[in-house]
Amino acid sequence: MKWSLNELSSYQDAPLSVTEKLDLEKDLLDRYPKYILSVDPVTVSAHVFYDSGNVIVNAKVTGKMVVPSSRSLDPVNVDLDFNINEVYVKDEYNLKKYEELGDVAFLIENQKIDFDKSVADNIILQIPMHILSPQEEEGKEMPEGSFWKVISEQEYNNPKAEDKTVDPRLAKLKDYFK
């Protein structure tokens, strides 16, 4: 989804409405190979408004991606369903005006808007910080190695009685500061 300002200037009375499927998998995997395993083509429905050289884009993105579990690195499916509202401005003055209003604003470079890049950036923002596979959510055993294992928060807060036993040689020290 790339638009030139000349093309958009003809949509002053009514917005440009576009629905496209974008295949952004290669770009996303090149940029974030550790955090994204795959991305299906996403559907983007956008309404583009032209206003005195500034462009306002309201878009809805839907699709699916696969990311690694934050616990075991098993693949986990994530549904994408989010909105993008952005403003593209022609000069610094308008940039400051929109930033003061709290809107996300970007300068237009070379009289063109590359909305594919914005969609890819927003997909990256949708990656959850903490995600578990369905098996892990059901209580699958935690991963462990030779001298380590992952424990639940409940196990951490409530240690077992065997962990509380004191070496008999040190038992006499408990009365030392009385």
Side-chain angles (χ1 to χ4, degrees), residues 133-140:
S133 68
Q135 297 84 5
E136 291 167 337
E137 287 179 356
E138 291 173 4
K140 177 182 159 187

Side-chain angles (χ1 to χ4, degrees), residues 1 10-11 31 40-41 51 53 75 95 110 113 121 125 128 130 134 139 159 161:
M1 300 180 105
S10 64
Y11 291 95
R31 290 166 58 187
D40 292 345
D51 179 32
L95 181 65
N110 302 325
I113 297 172
D121 291 344
L125 293 174
H130 180 74

Side-chain angles (χ1 to χ4, degrees), residues 2-5 88 107-115:
K2 296 173 177 67
W3 307 293
S4 71
L5 280 186
Y88 295 86
L107 280 172
I108 298 172
E109 296 178 14
N110 302 325
Q111 299 292 309
K112 294 190 182 248
I113 297 172
D114 184 1
F115 195 64

Side-chain angles (χ1 to χ4, degrees), residues 45-60:
S45 299
H47 300 288
V48 185
F49 302 88
Y50 181 85
D51 179 32
S52 304
N54 302 321
V55 177
I56 301 167
V57 181
N58 298 326
K60 179 157 183 74

